[in-house]
Amino acid sequence: MKKCENCGMVYSDYSNFCTQCGQKLGQTGTIPQNTSGFTPETEAQTTPCQGYQGFNPVYSPGYQPSAHATGFSAPGKAVPNGEVMRKVRELGSSQLMLIFTIIWFAKVGLFVFARLFNPLSSSSSVFNLLNFLDIDGLNAVVFTYNEISSISTLINLIPTVLVGVGLVMTYLSAGDKTPSMSPSGLTIIKVIYIIEFIFKCIAIAFLLILSVAAIVGGDSEFIEDLIGYGYGDEIRIIGIFLLVAVLIGGTCIVLFNVFVLGFLGSLTATIRSNVPQEKFASILSVLMFILGAFSALNLFGALQRLTFSPGSAFLSFVISASNVAVLILQGVLINKYKNIVRYGQ
């Protein structure tokens, strides 16, 4: 503090001259009495920024920062990852998951039984097409295909059975008492779908080449030696239909498998990292419901055949019903998982 020796006024250390008499101020170590009643105690009690309340509202009592003024917004109510993962495990060990797994294996058993009971049912449409086009030379090829498909049916079911094993492993892992789930079951399912996707792409490429070859080389010597002379136009018709079917169906198959693999990848990453992800869950659940609705149309076709062939029609009805149930349950489970990750429900 500084004191004016002439009039006795006290100023702060930053003042150099007295405002009353103009005398140069000198340094003093004591604080003299002030008739205004201002004391050190009142100075300590004074809010440092009190004098600036009118200029800076941040220091005003009750001030609440706004998102526009401060550049940030208050976060919404977030669900902790631990709570989300707990609900994911509950879904994985639920009765719905158990029913889905049981129906999955039931579908496999029904398919095997159907192939043994009526091995020609899968190629009946092929026979109808050949009869319509009157190409007797290809009948031997179709019969050979039936012999091969009867053997390959069991081989083709191996991936489906392994997917079922992965579902069982996932169900058991979700229901155990370990701190975290094991991703082994989902890893098996993902690997199976990757391998199937590769083979599907190879088959699509082969069918594209075959359809183009049929359109271009319908009158080639190879075709004439195989089925006889004069069937060039019929072969071209088959090639055109095959090309259109492969382009449309192949595109849908590729996109669908991309969605499935993307979802399985996010689901596996969720279990491994305990950070919930749900890539492609929305679109995949919708596609499952759509496929289930289209599959339900086969139920009416099976019912129409009950009067002609009750045994075969009933078996076809049960198989179609199992396919519909699997697709619908898949859509429900994926949709529930999406709601858990997004909304904690």
Side-chain angles (χ1 to χ4, degrees):
M1 303 293 293
K2 292 182 179 180
K3 177 182 177 182
C4 178
E5 298 294 342
N6 186 24
C7 59
M9 295 296 294
V10 178
Y11 297 92
S12 65
D13 291 339
Y14 300 101
S15 301
N16 295 321
F17 297 92
C18 178
T19 59
Q20 300 293 328
C21 61
Q23 180 71 27
K24 186 175 181 180
L25 301 177
Q27 188 72 30
T28 179
T30 61
I31 301 177
Q33 295 294 330
N34 195 325
T35 58
S36 63
F38 183 82
T39 62
E41 288 78 13
T42 59
E43 180 184 10
Q45 294 173 2
T46 304
T47 304
C49 299
Q50 187 175 1
Y52 297 92
Q53 289 182 5
F55 300 97
N56 193 347
V58 175
Y59 299 103
S60 301
Y63 172 76
Q64 303 245 346
S66 63
H68 177 73
T70 57
F72 66 87
S73 58
K77 185 178 179 181
V79 181
N81 287 348
E83 181 68 15
V84 172
M85 293 305 300
R86 182 185 67 80
K87 292 184 178 182
V88 169
R89 295 191 69 164
E90 289 179 353
L91 179 62
S93 59
S94 63
Q95 293 183 353
L96 187 65
M97 181 68 177
L98 179 60
I99 294 173
F100 170 68
T101 305
I102 293 174
I103 296 179
W104 182 275
F105 281 104
K107 182 187 72 171
V108 174
L110 289 171
F111 183 76
V112 174
F113 182 77
R115 292 292 297 176
L116 296 176
F117 179 74
N118 190 12
L120 299 180
S121 59
S122 62
S123 57
S124 59
S125 59
V126 178
F127 277 119
N128 293 334
L129 178 63
L130 293 177
N131 291 331
F132 174 75
L133 296 175
D134 193 22
I135 305 178
D136 297 332
L138 289 180
N139 286 338
V141 176
V142 176
F143 279 112
T144 304
Y145 163 77
N146 285 327
E147 295 295 330
I148 296 175
S149 72
S150 299
I151 299 173
S152 62
T153 296
L154 297 177
I155 299 176
N156 293 332
L157 286 176
I158 293 177
T160 308
V161 173
L162 290 177
V163 170
V165 172
L167 293 174
V168 173
M169 293 173 62
T170 302
Y171 173 79
L172 295 176
S173 177
D176 61 22
K177 302 300 181 181
T178 56
S180 60
M181 289 179 59
S182 171
S184 301
L186 287 174
T187 302
I188 292 176
I189 297 174
K190 183 179 178 181
V191 170
I192 294 300
Y193 274 103
I194 290 175
I195 295 175
E196 286 188 341
F197 182 50
I198 294 174
F199 278 101
K200 288 176 182 178
C201 291
I202 295 175
I204 291 172
F206 174 77
L207 291 175
L208 283 174
I209 296 173
L210 184 63
S211 60
V212 173
I215 296 173
V216 175
D219 293 329
S220 63
E221 294 181 0
F222 174 77
I223 297 297
E224 293 179 356
D225 294 338
L226 180 63
I227 62 174
Y229 178 77
Y231 291 107
D233 294 336
E234 289 82 355
I235 294 299
R236 290 190 182 91
I237 293 174
I238 295 176
I240 293 173
F241 278 107
L242 181 61
L243 179 62
V244 174
V246 171
L247 289 177
I248 298 175
T251 302
C252 295
I253 290 173
V254 169
L255 289 177
F256 179 77
N257 281 269
V258 169
F259 296 150
V260 171
L261 292 176
F263 173 73
L264 289 175
S266 65
L267 190 57
T268 305
T270 296
I271 295 177
R272 287 179 174 174
S273 63
N274 287 327
V275 178
Q277 304 177 30
E278 47 97 24
K279 185 185 297 183
F280 295 126
S282 297
I283 187 172
L284 190 58
S285 61
V286 173
L287 288 176
M288 290 299 179
F289 290 132
I290 294 175
L291 291 175
F294 277 108
S295 298
L297 298 177
N298 294 328
L299 298 176
F300 299 100
L303 292 175
Q304 292 177 355
R305 297 194 301 269
L306 282 175
T307 56
F308 303 100
S309 179
S312 177
F314 178 76
L315 183 59
S316 177
F317 179 84
V318 175
I319 293 175
S320 299
S322 65
N323 289 330
V324 172
V326 165
L327 292 170
I328 296 299
L329 287 176
Q330 277 182 317
V332 172
L333 287 169
I334 295 172
N335 187 64
K336 283 182 173 293
Y337 173 79
K338 178 201 70 174
N339 290 334
I340 290 174
V341 174
R342 285 190 180 181
Y343 314 113
Q345 299 177 355

